[in-house]
Amino acid sequence: QVQLVESGGGSVQAGGSLRLSCAVSGFTYSSKCVGWFRQAPGKEREGVARIHTGAGSTYYADSVKGRFTISQDNTKNTVYLQMNSLKPEDSAMYYCAARGLICVAPPLAERSYPNWGRGTQVTVSS
C-alpha cells in the first residue's frame, strides 16, 4: 500500500531554514503528484506547494512563494520542501500528501490527495 513518511521538522529561529523530506512508496504509477500542507493549532489546514514528479511542474501558495522550494529526487522516491526565511507564522505541523499519475485542479485542494503522511512539526521562534 501507499506510504508517505515525513521527516526533517524541528525548531528554528525566525530567518532560519529547514528542509523537509517526504519518502514515498507503494505507488504502482511511475509518476505522481505530491503536495505539502500545513496546519497550525486553531487554524485550518492549508496547501503549501505541490510537484508533479514526472513533468516537474510546481505550484506554490502565495504565502510561501519566493521562500519555499519544492523539489524531488526520483532515485530516492523522495520529495523535499526547502524552507528559507522562515517566519513564526510558518510554525505548523507539515504533512505531505500524494495521488497517483497526475495532478488535478485546483493544485492544493486536500480532496485531490488520497494519501497522507503523519506529519512533521515545524516551530519557528521569534
Side-chain angles (χ1 to χ4, degrees), residues 7-118:
S7 62
S11 298
V12 297
Q13 294 193 179
S17 298
L18 211 55
R19 188 172 80 159
L20 307 183
S21 298
C22 175
V24 183
S25 63
F27 276 102
T28 59
Y29 310 104
S30 58
S31 297
K32 45 200 164 288
C33 187
V34 180
W36 284 98
F37 296 78
R38 66 187 183 186
Q39 186 169 30
K43 303 290 185 179
E44 292 189 353
R45 187 171 295 173
E46 63 175 342
V48 176
R50 74 102 174 108
I51 186 169
H52 186 265
T53 64
S57 59
T58 60
Y59 184 91
Y60 298 91
D62 288 341
S63 60
V64 306
K65 194 173 299 181
R67 298 188 298 121
F68 291 11
T69 302
I70 189 169
S71 62
Q72 63 181 312
D73 184 343
N74 282 334
T75 64
K76 298 180 179 179
N77 291 313
T78 300
V79 171
Y80 304 97
L81 184 68
Q82 178 66 47
M83 305 185 294
N84 298 327
S85 301
L86 283 163
K87 306 174 181 179
E89 309 93 87
D90 295 317
S91 296
M93 182 71 75
Y94 282 70
Y95 301 88
C96 96
R99 65 170 289 119
L101 192 60
I102 63 169
C103 294
V104 296
L108 294 174
E110 291 183 41
R111 64 180 183 273
S112 299
Y113 300 85
N115 308 287
W116 291 77
R118 294 182 179 181

